[in-house]
């Protein structure tokens, strides 16, 4: 057990320092009990592999993760944030995690393999306490690195899904289908508001575009990272990646649920978007042929924009969680 009794961070700290500091205390210093200080008893964490409520449940989940990956680190890559006024601060925290599977995990027995995972955690912070979180990690990349069968892992997730998580997914699908797909302009521009830009780009990428959305919004040399093991170089590769997703999922609704921005250099900006998609499984998806089932995708994207074009993209969603809805 950690020797820490009181965390060093609170409501008066810089929000980026707060997020990085509490993550270090909880994970690197193994101050797991500090979750009770930094998360509320009713805090809800949304993830495709299951909703978690309250600090006590989060502590149990953290202990289980460390039992499977005792050397896990949470290395900060970036925090993009916004001050949402009375609602508090909103942070989108990108994290790289190298770790070794030394104990049994949710996917099977210990493999002793070294793996890397990429996570984006979006949090609402009010008076020094995280009141809501969306935890987005590509568990498909984790399972494949561990050497387990993704289809079997997806079936296991589906079998364990509780009623609350199932009801949340069903409600989100109804919401998204009712909202539909934003009518797309020919050329989304970074001179638009960050929300308008995000809605235009994501609707174009996920819904069938009339022309190449990638050519108008990405620099020729843009790099996209989907996971620690999936890097795409150049806008043609990025366009092909989204084309593969469009062939697998016929999208019926896209929503931008939150946008945060920060400046980057002298003429650039960084945009963090939490988004959701609903559609029909209409083509091959990670080895699973079309089923006609409706699927829900919870995702987060970080864009780095320079000279009006996206030069770097990190897009994370739980591909295994999507697969678990169709197996």
């Amino acid at each position: 057990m950690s020797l820490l009794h009181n965390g060093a961070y609170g409501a008066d700290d810089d929000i980026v320092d707060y997020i990085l500091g509490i993550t270090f205390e909880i994970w690197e210093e193994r101050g797991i009990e500090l979750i009770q200080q930094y998360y509320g008893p009713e805090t809800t964490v949304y993830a495709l592999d299951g909703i978690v409520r309250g600090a006590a449940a989060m502590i149990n989940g953290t202990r289980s993760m460390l039992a499977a990956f005792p050397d896990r680190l949470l290395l900060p890559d970036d925090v993009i944030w916004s001050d949402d006024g009375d609602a508090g601060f909103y942070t989108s925290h990108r994290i790289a995690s190298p770790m070794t599977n030394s104990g049994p995990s949710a996917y099977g027995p210990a493999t002793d393999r070294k793996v890397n995972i990429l996570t984006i955690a979006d949090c609402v912070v009010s008076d020094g306490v995280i009141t809501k979180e969306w935890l987005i990690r590509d568990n498909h990349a984790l399972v494949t690195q561990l050497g387990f069968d993704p289809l079997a892992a997806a079936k296991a997730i589906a079998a364990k899904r509780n009623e609350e998580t199932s009801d949340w997914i069903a409600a989100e699908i109804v919401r998204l289908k009712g909202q539909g797909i934003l009518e797309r302009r020919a050329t989304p521009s970074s001179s638009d508001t960050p929300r308008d830009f995000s809605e235009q780009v994501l609707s174009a990428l996920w819904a069938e575009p009339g022309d190449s959305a990638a050519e108008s919004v990405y620099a020729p040399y843009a790099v996209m990272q989907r996971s620690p093991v999936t890097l795409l170089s150049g806008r043609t590769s990025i366009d092909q990646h989204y084309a593969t997703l469009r062939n697998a999922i016929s999208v019926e609704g896209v929503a931008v649920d939150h946008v945060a921005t920060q400046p980057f250099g002298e003429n650039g900006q960084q945009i963090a978007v939490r988004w959701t998609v609903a559609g029909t499984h209409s083509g091959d998806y990670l080895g699973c042929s079309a089923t006609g089932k409706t699927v829900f995708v919870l995702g987060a994207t970080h864009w780095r924009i320079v000279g009006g074009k996206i030069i770097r993209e990190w897009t994370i969603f739980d591909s295994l969680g999507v697969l678990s809805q169709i197996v």
Side-chain angles (χ1 to χ4, degrees):
M1 173 167 304
S2 168
L3 297 178
L4 288 173
H5 297 287
N6 294 293
Y9 298 89
D12 295 332
D13 288 297
D14 173 89
I15 189 61
V16 174
D17 191 39
Y18 170 90
I19 290 294
L20 299 181
I22 71 168
T23 303
F24 184 82
E25 285 184 339
I26 292 169
W27 287 95
E28 268 68 11
E29 294 189 328
R30 301 303 191 242
I32 301 171
E33 73 281 0
L34 292 178
I35 290 173
Q36 297 183 44
Q37 174 180 332
Y38 294 129
Y39 289 81
E42 302 300 325
T43 296
T44 304
V45 179
Y46 295 93
L48 273 188
D49 58 354
I51 292 174
V52 176
R53 289 193 182 273
M58 293 181 62
I59 288 173
N60 290 336
T62 303
R63 287 177 174 153
S64 295
M65 176 65 82
L66 286 173
F69 304 94
D71 64 347
R72 186 186 186 198
L73 300 176
L74 270 69
L75 306 179
D77 201 358
D78 205 355
V79 179
I80 304 173
W81 62 277
S82 62
D83 184 344
D84 289 359
D86 292 341
F89 289 99
Y90 191 99
T91 65
S92 191
H93 183 194
R94 194 171 70 247
I95 310 159
S97 292
M99 55 191 186
T100 308
N101 182 213
S102 303
S105 71
Y107 307 110
T111 64
D112 293 321
R113 293 192 179 192
K114 294 185 180 297
V115 300
N116 285 278
I117 56 175
L118 188 64
T119 302
I120 294 179
D122 278 25
C123 297
V124 176
V125 185
S126 180
D127 295 325
V129 174
I130 295 173
T131 60
K132 193 174 290 187
E133 181 173 339
W134 293 264
L135 187 62
I136 304 168
R137 179 176 64 228
D138 192 351
N139 287 313
H140 183 269
L142 174 57
V143 165
T144 55
Q145 288 177 82
L146 290 173
F148 295 124
D149 176 18
L151 288 174
K155 290 176 181 178
I157 291 172
K160 294 177 182 177
R161 184 172 293 127
N162 60 30
E163 183 176 357
E164 181 180 20
T165 304
S166 296
D167 288 347
W168 166 58
I169 290 173
E172 286 290 89
I173 289 170
V174 170
R175 173 180 73 93
L176 290 161
K177 285 188 173 183
Q179 178 168 314
I181 301 167
L182 185 72
E183 183 177 351
R184 186 168 74 87
R185 296 194 303 270
T187 307
S189 170
S190 62
S191 63
D192 296 336
T193 67
R195 176 170 287 276
D196 284 345
F197 176 78
S198 302
E199 289 177 342
Q200 289 290 326
V201 173
L202 288 168
S203 292
L205 292 172
W206 276 93
E208 190 69 46
D211 52 15
S212 174
E215 185 172 350
S216 63
V217 297
Y218 291 93
Y221 51 83
V223 174
M224 175 186 181
Q225 186 160 4
R226 272 284 289 116
S227 76
V229 295
T230 303
L231 280 160
L232 304 170
S233 177
R235 62 187 174 202
T236 299
S237 295
I238 295 170
D239 197 34
Q240 290 172 346
H241 173 78
Y242 280 106
T244 299
L245 289 173
R246 292 192 300 269
N247 289 335
I249 301 172
S250 298
V251 172
E252 299 164 66
V254 180
V256 168
D257 298 314
H258 193 276
V259 179
T261 66
Q262 290 293 317
F264 179 76
E266 294 184 358
N267 66 337
Q269 64 177 325
Q270 299 205 101
I271 301 179
V273 188
R274 176 169 53 82
W275 49 266
T276 40
V277 163
T280 300
H281 176 217
S282 56
D284 180 81
Y285 182 79
L286 299 177
C288 184
S289 300
T291 61
K293 294 181 179 179
T294 303
V295 297
F296 167 64
V297 187
L298 168 67
T301 293
H302 286 185
W303 285 312
R304 183 172 294 164
I305 299 172
V306 174
K309 299 288 187 180
I310 299 169
I311 67 167
R312 193 76 162 84
E313 173 175 332
W314 296 262
T315 287
I316 308 298
F317 63 89
D318 186 358
S319 303
L320 192 69
V322 175
L323 190 62
S324 74
Q325 299 172 57
I326 60 178
V327 291

